[in-house]
Amino acid sequence: MATTTPNHACDFCGKSKEDVEKLIVGEHSAICNDCIDLCVDILKDENIKKNHGDQQLLNPSSIKDYLDEYVIGQDEAKIVLSVAVSQHFKRINNPSKDIRLEKTNMLLLGPTGCGKTMMVRKVAEFLNVPFAICDATSITEAGYVGDDVESILLQLINAADGDIKKAERGIVYIDEIDKIARKGENLSITRDVSGEGVQQALLKLIEGGLVRVPFSGKRKHPGGDAQEIDTGSILFICGGAFVGLDKIIEKRLHSRSVGFHSEISTKQQKKNYYNLASTRDVIQFGFIPEFVGRFGLLANVNELEIDDLVRVLKEPKNSLIKQYQYIFKLDHIELQFEDAALSMIAKKAKELETNARGLKNIIEKVLLPYQFDAVNLVSRGLKKILISTDTIAGTSPAIMIFNKTVNEKTK
Ligand SMILES: Nc1ncnc2c1ncn2[C@@H]1O[C@H](COP(=O)(O)OP(=O)(O)O)[C@@H](O)[C@H]1O
Ligand SMILES: [Mg+2]
């Protein structure tokens, strides 16, 4: 490309070199910076269409297949999520002139560490749409115009590399939504107004509208110091543990006259009550009906049992075991866990009642001394570390296998 010359003008818009910031001149033509920006936008739009227009990508069963590679169990939640996401993008890709297609947001209930956040993150990754996570507890009543709501949207805009159009088709996950429920024994009398205020603030965001978000960073923006983003097509998924919701459901089922429902309730395991959650129960839990009304879809994740936790350790595409094996491999060490050791890790995590969340801590603690010593051990010929139940229990160090077929136990 040749350098700019004073006589040239942009072949696209006709502006001369003096009227633009930069003019790039080729052998036979020239283009100004404004026209380049425009072209980039057009190409980005095309990309969005390509990403969302793909029917196969929006086939709920393809979405679930992808989730299956990473998330163990939680079939019901995966199906509801796949359908919700698929419908959402079909709706925003094909707006109808005759029928007003309402947005359906989703509420994910269930214990901590069972994959709620992970599932939503993976869906966003699969669809290649921007994704932001925030915590409902960080949103204040004044949230709609305050920093907090803006920061969620700014996070989304950043995830979209500053492309507002792309951000407007993103997914926002709001965690710990149960923490903004009204509190109090008798909800109709003891109204916790602050919880309700936050719900109202969030409702405005979810219902959709234009929100002004200040630009971040040092880049100067000719259009002013803030950008407008329309939240109308953003998919909001809220998640929370909803501790105590099972009691509300149980009470509802028991209060019905003897018959089918009370039979279910006596047979139902306590943890499975969440499967029967209805919008009514969520309102009773302390949410305003308008808020719950915006969440047409409810799904729940289940507690992970010991067998599930063992699968979480081994099976996902990026399972913890695979990750640690990879890290040790970088030091040329083969890392192996006995099956019984994996079960023991799972049992320990189960005792902590943190579901899959506790697994990493347990493994990290066990492996730390070996990670610390790895380089020295390799220089002494170490090629394999075998983790047994004794290592997990802390009663005996890992079995170290050295190159010269020397089995050595180290401290
Ligand atoms: N069902 C699951 N399958 C695979 N990994 C899981 C599952 N549930 C949780 N995990 C692991 O635990 C971590 C924490 O889970 P997360 O999705 O944040 O739980 P939640 O949002 O329900 O509290 C995840 O990053 C993932 O590594
Ligand atoms: Mg979470």
Side-chain angles (χ1 to χ4, degrees), residues 87-88 91 99-105 232 293-294:
Q87 277 183 3
H88 174 77
R91 185 187 68 84
I99 315 161
R100 206 176 107 72
L101 299 166
E102 287 208 6
K103 182 160 71 161
T104 306
N105 301 292
R294 283 283 152 189

Side-chain angles (χ1 to χ4, degrees), residues 111-174:
T112 180
C114 290
K116 299 186 291 295
T117 309
M118 192 192 192
M119 252 185 254
V120 183
R121 186 192 293 282
K122 285 291 162 197
V123 162
E125 187 181 289
F126 179 66
L127 295 173
N128 192 18
V129 294
F131 177 57
I133 300 187
C134 73
D135 206 308
T137 53
S138 73
I139 296 163
T140 56
E141 203 173 329
Y144 192 54
V145 286
D147 282 350
D148 310 314
V149 167
E150 284 167 7
S151 80
I152 306 169
L153 296 173
L154 191 61
Q155 207 186 318
L156 196 64
I157 295 168
N158 287 339
D161 296 324
D163 184 336
I164 299 285
K165 279 213 175 76
K166 204 170 160 191
E168 284 174 343
R169 299 164 150 266
I171 299 178
V172 170
Y173 181 70
I174 304 174

Side-chain angles (χ1 to χ4, degrees), residues 76-78 80-81 84-85 104-110 116-117 119-120 136 172-181 199 202 206 235-242 245 274 277-301:
E76 187 227 314
K78 281 177 188 165
V80 178
L81 180 62
V85 166
T104 306
N105 301 292
M106 183 178 167
L107 200 55
L108 257 177
L109 323 167
K116 299 186 291 295
T117 309
M119 252 185 254
V120 183
V172 170
Y173 181 70
I174 304 174
D175 213 349
E176 305 228 43
I177 197 73
D178 49 337
K179 302 292 186 311
I180 62 160
Q199 291 176 37
L202 259 178
I206 289 167
L235 178 63
F236 288 90
I237 299 177
C238 292
F242 286 82
L245 188 74
Y274 285 92
S278 72
T279 48
R280 237 180 82 190
D281 302 318
V282 179
I283 292 169
Q284 176 98 61
F285 188 85
F287 280 88
I288 53 173
E290 303 90 295
F291 186 87
V292 180
R294 283 283 152 189
F295 292 86
L297 288 167
L298 288 187
N300 77 294
V301 292

Side-chain angles (χ1 to χ4, degrees), residues 78-336:
K78 281 177 188 165
I79 291 171
V80 178
L81 180 62
S82 307
V83 172
V85 166
S86 153
Q87 277 183 3
H88 174 77
F89 285 104
K90 278 184 191 155
R91 185 187 68 84
I92 63 174
N93 287 338
N94 307 286
S96 163
K97 283 195 194 93
D98 311 320
I99 315 161
R100 206 176 107 72
L101 299 166
E102 287 208 6
K103 182 160 71 161
T104 306
N105 301 292
M106 183 178 167
L107 200 55
L108 257 177
L109 323 167
T112 180
C114 290
K116 299 186 291 295
T117 309
M118 192 192 192
M119 252 185 254
V120 183
R121 186 192 293 282
K122 285 291 162 197
V123 162
E125 187 181 289
F126 179 66
L127 295 173
N128 192 18
V129 294
F131 177 57
I133 300 187
C134 73
D135 206 308
T137 53
S138 73
I139 296 163
T140 56
E141 203 173 329
Y144 192 54
V145 286
D147 282 350
D148 310 314
V149 167
E150 284 167 7
S151 80
I152 306 169
L153 296 173
L154 191 61
Q155 207 186 318
L156 196 64
I157 295 168
N158 287 339
D161 296 324
D163 184 336
I164 299 285
K165 279 213 175 76
K166 204 170 160 191
E168 284 174 343
R169 299 164 150 266
I171 299 178
V172 170
Y173 181 70
I174 304 174
D175 213 349
E176 305 228 43
I177 197 73
D178 49 337
K179 302 292 186 311
I180 62 160
R182 282 196 306 254
K183 290 169 197 84
E185 283 290 285
N186 189 336
L187 294 169
S188 56
I189 298 170
T190 326
R191 284 200 151 199
D192 177 89
V193 189
S194 78
E196 204 174 304
V198 179
Q199 291 176 37
Q200 297 281 11
L202 259 178
L203 190 59
K204 281 191 207 148
L205 178 74
I206 289 167
E207 275 176 339
L210 287 175
V211 179
R212 282 179 75 75
V213 180
F215 286 110
S216 67
K218 293 178 204 122
R219 246 175 44 182
K220 283 213 167 151
H221 292 268
D225 56 357
Q227 54 208 323
E228 261 187 353
I229 176 165
D230 185 355
T231 64
S233 294
I234 295 174
L235 178 63
F236 288 90
I237 299 177
C238 292
F242 286 82
V243 176
L245 188 74
D246 50 345
K247 297 232 168 58
I248 292 172
I249 302 167
E250 189 180 11
K251 212 166 145 197
R252 168 168 61 85
L253 296 173
H254 277 297
S255 71
R256 300 216 176 144
S257 54
V258 259
F260 180 66
H261 290 287
S262 51
E263 241 169 67
I264 294 179
S265 62
T266 44
K267 280 182 195 159
Q268 201 81 29
Q269 291 287 320
K270 202 176 171 191
K271 58 178 184 272
N272 287 341
Y273 274 127
Y274 285 92
N275 290 333
L276 305 171
S278 72
T279 48
R280 237 180 82 190
D281 302 318
V282 179
I283 292 169
Q284 176 98 61
F285 188 85
F287 280 88
I288 53 173
E290 303 90 295
F291 186 87
V292 180
R294 283 283 152 189
F295 292 86
L297 288 167
L298 288 187
N300 77 294
V301 292
N302 298 312
E303 189 104 16
L304 295 169
E305 300 305 332
I306 291 173
D307 288 348
D308 300 321
L309 292 170
V310 171
R311 290 184 60 204
V312 168
L313 284 169
K314 290 200 291 195
E315 292 179 20
K317 224 173 171 175
N318 62 336
S319 80
L320 277 174
I321 297 300
K322 288 176 190 161
Q323 289 182 42
Y324 282 107
Q325 282 174 334
Y326 178 81
I327 301 274
F328 275 82
K329 199 79 212 161
L330 293 178
D331 282 324
H332 309 287
I333 300 169
E334 187 190 337
L335 176 68
Q336 200 188 328

